[in-house]
Amino acid sequence: MKNIFKLPNVFRFVCVTLFAVTVLFNCSEEKFKESTDETLNITEFLRANTERYSLFLQILDITDYASFMNTYGTYTLFLPTNEAVEAYMTDLGVSALENVPLEDLQELAKLHILEQKIETTTFTDGKIATPSMQGQFLITGAVNTSDGSSITVNKSAKISTSNIEVGNGIIHEIDQVLRVATKTIAETIESDPSLSLFTEAMKATGWYEVLDRPITYVDSVPSYLSVIAQSNAVFEEAGFNNLDDLKTRYSHLGDPMNPEDSLNLFVAYRISPGLNYLADLAVTPALITKAPLEVISIKLSADTLLINEETFAGIFEKGVEIDREASDETATNGVVHTVKENYFIKKRLPAPVYFDLADQPEFRQLSSVFRVPGMWAGLSDAELADVTWEGTPALNYVCQALGSSSRPGWHGDVLESVRFRDGFNNNIEFTTPVIIKGQYKVWISWRTNLRATNSVRAYFNDTPLARTFNMQEYVNTGEAERVLESQGYKRHISPTSGNYNCKLLGIINVETTGRHKFKLQSLAYAGGQSWFDVVEFRPVDMDQLYPKFEAGGDGLIYE
């Protein structure tokens, strides 16, 4: 060894290194890293923290869910502490989790698990978009106390520690066990003493039985219902103290069981098909009800949801506020809300509907690209609930933001079809927003492309409209607007763009208020993209030119 230090520095370094390596391999056991990620999965995390989570771990073990919660995946777990599970057992009157029926534990465990990683930064004041594995949705919100602000889950459980990263997802610690909703809508309403008069009205009209039915499925579509109930205090303020008062005011046929009786319609007008939580209502401009041909309008004003607040014929009609605190009550077959004032059916005149074809719910969920200048997203037929087509492309629709372009449409976007022609995409069918019954002129606007199809026919509920349109045709920018209108054309955006055209397709008679089908069929070859902007349904007695649409923006431009 002494001779080593007589060598030049470089040789000295080489010899020392070789010696160290030789010693290392001769004296140490070989070890290989078996994993590139040593982060614990959910079950491993619980086993490593039994002082806080042993009881929920026991629930996973009893239900045989511990193994799959330890596998690869992306989960969110709302994790009750031991104290929370102990309080749950005390409430049930059991001393051990083994005394809880297995099926109840299974449903309970699944309610706490979501098959998607969801951080608290994505929470909103309302329903989490992804349902739990149990099938019911969880509701988040905020509560302010003397100890500060907290996030709540299902209105009662507080998140004490959030966003705990684990190998297969994320964990939010909660201080209460979440409870599975076990009552139907009818039972949920009946169990609330403050809704006793509404319960009587449901029973008198036969709607109680409808709201007490379990979920059924037709073509995989569940029979969920949503109810907007009224408290006794709201009835009393409106002058109704008992069922006889309601019958005197509303039962004009004297037979509440008759679907045409006004009291029956009073209740039916508060029931809508579908699972509509407050978060869903906030983006639903009109809600179909069980009262035939009748809808309620929904308006979001700041953080308040208002029913039937509209301006008709220049007259402002004040809306009725939904009671947020008393709403979003999950039932086995739907959800229950309440309102702060009494309301009844409002007869509606035909109103314009401006249907931006690129405004689809699935595109809206892509917040990083939806209407962001220069961004776009392509979705397939199977990924869009309200758009279908025939043809071969796997990705055929593109929501393309054009806000930074010199050729923007309304809201700055268009809906693009890659090959809108026979053999590729034969036709495109959309489900419209709610249209109030009446007569309408139908206009369609598009961005001109000389390689797009030159002949398209439109259909409303499978009935062909009178005129076809040519997507290669440029708008006439020189003709006076009213003269152009008389020819069945107009310049629909402002400032006017020569790249967009708009044509009258015909007049339709909408016989029922609700959502309808609007289909476009290509009748010719296309060698390039087709870009669609807005379909307008304007009442026949309305000005057909104004309001126009703000190019690249969200506004309406009046004359």
Side-chain angles (χ1 to χ4, degrees), residues 59 62-64 97-107:
I59 292 175
I62 292 173
T63 57
D64 288 331
L97 288 168
E98 289 83 357
N99 297 331
V100 181
L102 176 60
E103 183 179 352
D104 292 352
L105 282 183
Q106 289 172 332
E107 295 298 299

Side-chain angles (χ1 to χ4, degrees), residues 1 25 62 73 121 191 194 216 225 272 287 299 357 388 406 429 455 457 466 472 476 479 482 515:
M1 285 289 294
F25 276 89
I62 292 173
T121 53
S191 66
S194 71
T216 58
L225 294 171
S272 60
L287 193 64
K299 178 181 179 181
L357 297 182
T388 60
S406 61
E429 186 172 73
S455 183
R457 184 176 297 283
Q472 298 180 12
N476 185 334
E479 192 68 79
R482 295 298 173 184
R515 303 183 73 186

